[in-house]
């Protein structure tokens, strides 16, 4: 494989820049431009995990001074010989050093090519490679925690457990189908059911954690609904008071839509349409109501607010009805007033009910717990490995469906050959997930999202 190089630090002026060279000729190329001052050895004679201070020069002019770090195959990021040159962090000087390296028979690295080589050389699984990108783009603590767990191979191990048990089953099935006359013990239907059943269960657990994981990482798209005067704005203010993070004004619409994110314990609620909710003027209220209606259809979470201090009205009932079957929480507000609201008739439309007094700032914690229960957030432990992107989710789902189809086929009296094909399909999806049997197209797609230098 050719030797490649790229600047691995951001294209911006900084204290230091790192230029990474990887491949068979990495050390001999480094040797032609880096002249150690702190040691006698040339780059090609340096041991792995050692570094030297020296001059970077084209042979006539010194461009800069810096530090060379040597990694010897296979003990490097890519699994190949790697030289990393740290020089001063100016954009111009860094590019000059890179250009010099590229004149020594080294070609520019493509986006994600270092990590791709690490994957191809067996240094990491595809899911681990994906986590490298997640770590770079992590915005918050939860996101970083998930990415790090992925990097440690938690998901890979979890999938591998399932995939190994299926491989074993496939092995016994093949032996039995191919050599019926030999004395190979028959694979019983019970064994097949047991292995497939436990694979389906494991994959179901994994799949159900996908949404919760995404929610912990990215937040929940939330809408607040309710008839006028029940306390929606007051609830908004209460939540914003907890910790306001982002406020965006998107101009140019019929009226400004305000979107803000509030943090509720570990969870981020992305509340939108607050301008509509806050409006009082009739004409504008209409726009707000329409927007809110649309939001209601597309949101991941609905907070439906009711006023405990007044009798239930037709409007309340219609709000409740539009919540049916959705992830909706009934927020019974104004608990400080005398209770006139009869909730019993509409309670069934909601997954959770929380009593609060928005004005007194009472109930945020109970609301947070209710959201946590809806999304089963308490059960998410990053270290056990979870699916973090659509590619992974779709592979896991395909595998799950294939195994469950195999169970049904066997129950329906299908031949072992037919069942075998379904199990094999599922196994292929698992191997695609981990990258053990991913097509070149899949691998290229994963790495195309990387930046150059990674
Ligand atoms: P919205 O039209 O649904 O946005 O309702 P507002 O938030 O504007 O509240 C309507 C009225 O109810 C205001 O006068 C609030 O002060 C009052 N209100 C809101 N929450 C509470 C509460 O928890 N207790 C009491 N007693 N009044 C409240």
């Amino acid at each position: 494989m050719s030797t490649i190089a790229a600047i691995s630090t951001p294209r911006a002026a900084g204290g230091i820049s790192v230029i990474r060279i990887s491949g068979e000729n990495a050390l001999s190329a480094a040797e032609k431009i880096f002249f150690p001052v702190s040691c006698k050895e040339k780059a090609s004679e340096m041991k792995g995990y050692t570094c030297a201070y020296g001059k970077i020069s084209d042979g006539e002019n010194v461009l800069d001074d810096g530090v060379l770090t040597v990694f010897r195959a296979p003990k490097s990021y890519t699994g190949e010989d790697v030289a990393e040159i740290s020089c001063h962090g100016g954009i111009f000087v860094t590019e000059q050093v890179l250009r010099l390296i590229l004149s020594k028979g080294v070609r520019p690295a493509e986006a994600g090519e270092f990590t791709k080589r690490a994957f191809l050389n067996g240094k990491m699984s595809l899911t681990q490679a994906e986590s490298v990108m997640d770590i770079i783009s992590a915005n918050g603590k939860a996101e970083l925690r998930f990415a790090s767990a992925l990097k440690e191979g938690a998901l890979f191990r979890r999938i591998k457990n399932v995939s190994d048990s299926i491989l074993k089953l496939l092995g016994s099935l093949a032996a039995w189908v191919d050599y019926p006359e030999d004395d190979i013990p028959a694979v019983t239907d019970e064994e097949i059911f047991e292995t497939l059943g436990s694979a389906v269960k494991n994959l179901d657990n994994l799949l159900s954690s996908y949404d919760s994981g995404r929610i912990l990482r990215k937040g929940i798209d939330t809408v607040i609904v309710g008839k006028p005067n029940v306390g929606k704005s007051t609830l908004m203010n209460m939540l914003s008071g907890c910790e306001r993070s982002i406020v965006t004004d998107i101009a140019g619409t019929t009226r400004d839509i305000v979107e803000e994110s509030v943090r509720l314990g570990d969870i981020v609620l992305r509340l939108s349409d607050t301008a509509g909710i806050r409006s009082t003027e009739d004409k504008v209220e209409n726009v707000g109501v329409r927007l809110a209606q649309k939001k209601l259809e597309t949101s991941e979470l609905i907070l439906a607010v009711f006023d405990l201090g007044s009798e239930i009205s037709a409007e309340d009932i219609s709000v409740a009805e539009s919540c049916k079957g959705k992830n909706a929480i009934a927020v019974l507000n104004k608990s400080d007033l005398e209770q006139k609201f009869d909730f019993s008739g509409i309670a069934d439309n909601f997954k959770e009910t929380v009593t609060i007094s928005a004005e007194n700032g009472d109930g945020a914690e109970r609301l947070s717990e209710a959201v946590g229960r809806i999304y089963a957030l308490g059960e998410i432990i990053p270290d056990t490995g979870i699916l973090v992107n659509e590619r992974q989710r779709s592979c896991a789902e395909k595998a799950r469906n294939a195994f469950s189809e195999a169970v049904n086929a066997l129950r329906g009296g299908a031949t072992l050959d037919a069942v075998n094909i379904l199990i094999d399909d599922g196994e292929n999806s698992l191997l695609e997930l981990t990258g053990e049997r991913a097509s070149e197209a899949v691998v290229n797609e994963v790495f195309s999202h990387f930046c150059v230098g990674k």
Side-chain angles (χ1 to χ4, degrees), residues 226-237 277-280 285 305 307 333-337 356-361:
K227 69 178 184 193
N229 278 323
V230 289
K232 299 183 295 296
S233 322
T234 316
L235 171 63
M236 268 294 304
N237 289 338
I277 289 166
R278 280 190 174 134
S279 60
T280 46
E285 177 94 324
V305 185
D307 178 353
N333 188 31
K334 309 194 192 181
S335 63
D336 53 298
L337 297 182
I356 68 164
S357 171
E359 198 152 76
N360 301 331

Side-chain angles (χ1 to χ4, degrees), residues 357-394:
S357 171
E359 198 152 76
N360 301 331
D362 171 41
E365 202 167 310
R366 286 192 298 279
L367 190 55
S368 153
E369 286 163 4
V371 175
R373 278 194 297 275
I374 287 188
Y375 291 96
L377 297 181
E379 289 154 33
I380 301 293
I381 307 157
D383 302 343
T384 59
I386 63 161
L387 304 164
V388 301
N389 59 35
E390 189 47 39
R391 183 193 77 81
Q392 297 176 355
R393 194 200 61 76
S394 128

Side-chain angles (χ1 to χ4, degrees), residues 4-150:
I4 54 173
I7 301 167
S8 282
T9 37
R11 292 288 181 284
I16 41 175
S17 290
V18 174
I19 297 139
R20 188 188 261 162
I21 318 168
S22 179
E24 232 171 27
N25 301 322
L27 302 183
S28 59
E31 184 169 295
K32 290 182 187 137
I33 65 132
F34 188 91
F35 303 92
V37 172
S38 65
C39 67
K40 287 196 202 68
E41 294 97 346
K42 296 190 233 168
S44 63
E45 296 160 354
M46 285 167 64
K47 287 202 188 103
Y49 297 142
T50 61
C51 49
Y53 166 76
K55 303 281 178 201
I56 302 162
S57 158
D58 61 8
E60 284 174 19
N61 300 308
V62 172
L63 283 179
D64 198 2
D65 55 347
V67 172
L68 168 72
T69 312
V70 167
F71 302 86
R72 295 266 178 189
K75 294 183 176 172
S76 71
Y77 183 71
T78 57
E80 306 172 324
D81 280 349
V82 168
E84 284 182 4
I85 297 176
S86 312
C87 63
H88 286 100
I91 297 174
F92 180 74
V93 67
T94 311
E95 281 178 355
Q96 289 299 305
V97 174
L98 176 64
R99 187 176 293 184
L100 192 56
I101 295 167
L102 295 178
S103 71
K104 306 299 175 196
V106 173
R107 77 161 167 79
E110 287 163 19
E113 199 171 3
F114 292 111
T115 311
K116 184 175 175 181
R117 287 188 175 195
F119 163 68
L120 294 175
N121 288 325
K123 299 293 285 188
M124 57 175 84
S125 69
L126 202 55
T127 54
Q128 283 173 310
E130 284 171 314
S131 72
V132 172
M133 197 165 46
D134 278 3
I135 289 178
I136 296 173
S137 62
N139 279 321
K141 221 162 70 180
E143 219 173 319
L144 185 59
R145 217 156 47 116
F146 281 109
S148 303
L150 193 61

Side-chain angles (χ1 to χ4, degrees), residues 63-345:
L63 283 179
D64 198 2
D65 55 347
V67 172
L68 168 72
T69 312
V70 167
F71 302 86
R72 295 266 178 189
K75 294 183 176 172
S76 71
Y77 183 71
T78 57
E80 306 172 324
D81 280 349
V82 168
E84 284 182 4
I85 297 176
S86 312
C87 63
H88 286 100
I91 297 174
F92 180 74
V93 67
T94 311
E95 281 178 355
Q96 289 299 305
V97 174
L98 176 64
R99 187 176 293 184
L100 192 56
I101 295 167
L102 295 178
S103 71
K104 306 299 175 196
V106 173
R107 77 161 167 79
E110 287 163 19
E113 199 171 3
F114 292 111
T115 311
K116 184 175 175 181
R117 287 188 175 195
F119 163 68
L120 294 175
N121 288 325
K123 299 293 285 188
M124 57 175 84
S125 69
L126 202 55
T127 54
Q128 283 173 310
E130 284 171 314
S131 72
V132 172
M133 197 165 46
D134 278 3
I135 289 178
I136 296 173
S137 62
N139 279 321
K141 221 162 70 180
E143 219 173 319
L144 185 59
R145 217 156 47 116
F146 281 109
S148 303
L150 193 61
K151 177 82 178 36
E152 290 309 312
L155 176 64
F156 179 77
R157 284 192 300 276
R158 201 165 160 183
I159 294 292
K160 188 92 179 123
N161 277 341
V162 178
S163 141
D164 282 353
S165 70
I166 296 288
L167 269 183
K168 213 168 128 210
L169 175 66
L170 280 171
S172 330
L173 279 175
W176 196 58
V177 170
D178 292 347
Y179 308 100
E181 65 278 5
D182 287 4
D183 231 3
I184 298 165
V187 188
T188 63
D189 283 5
E190 280 76 62
E191 278 173 65
I192 303 179
F193 281 134
E194 198 183 299
T195 309
L196 292 180
S198 113
V200 168
K201 204 169 125 211
N202 273 321
L203 291 171
D204 270 341
N205 284 339
L206 197 58
L207 283 162
S208 71
S209 69
Y210 178 70
D211 279 339
S212 324
R214 189 172 52 83
I215 272 155
L216 276 185
R217 291 181 296 122
K218 308 284 183 204
I220 308 174
D221 206 1
T222 307
V223 65
I224 300 180
V225 296
K227 69 178 184 193
N229 278 323
V230 289
K232 299 183 295 296
S233 322
T234 316
L235 171 63
M236 268 294 304
N237 289 338
M238 175 180 108
L239 293 174
S240 306
C242 296
E243 192 185 317
R244 177 179 297 232
S245 47
I246 313 157
V247 178
T248 6
D249 289 282
I250 309 160
T253 41
T254 12
R255 57 174 289 119
D256 290 355
I257 293 178
V258 181
E259 182 171 286
E260 52 193 301
S261 295
V262 296
R263 186 172 281 283
L264 200 58
D266 253 358
I267 310 159
V268 171
L269 300 185
R270 288 195 314 273
L271 297 163
S272 54
D273 235 7
T274 56
I277 289 166
R278 280 190 174 134
S279 60
T280 46
E281 199 188 308
D282 267 354
K283 229 166 100 193
V284 181
E285 177 94 324
N286 277 337
V287 178
V289 167
R290 244 189 297 130
L291 282 174
Q293 200 60 42
K294 196 162 159 221
K295 264 319 260 185
L296 198 102
E297 296 305 320
T298 56
S299 291
E300 293 168 312
L301 177 68
I302 303 169
L303 302 180
V305 185
F306 302 98
D307 178 353
L308 283 174
S310 57
E311 306 263 342
I312 188 165
S313 70
E315 266 179 295
D316 288 321
I317 293 171
S318 113
V319 166
E321 273 167 3
S322 57
C323 291
K324 206 175 184 126
K326 303 204 172 79
N327 281 340
I329 299 178
V331 180
L332 308 182
N333 188 31
K334 309 194 192 181
S335 63
D336 53 298
L337 297 182
E338 194 198 331
Q339 319 274 294
K340 296 184 186 152
F341 190 83
D342 180 7
F343 179 61
S344 58

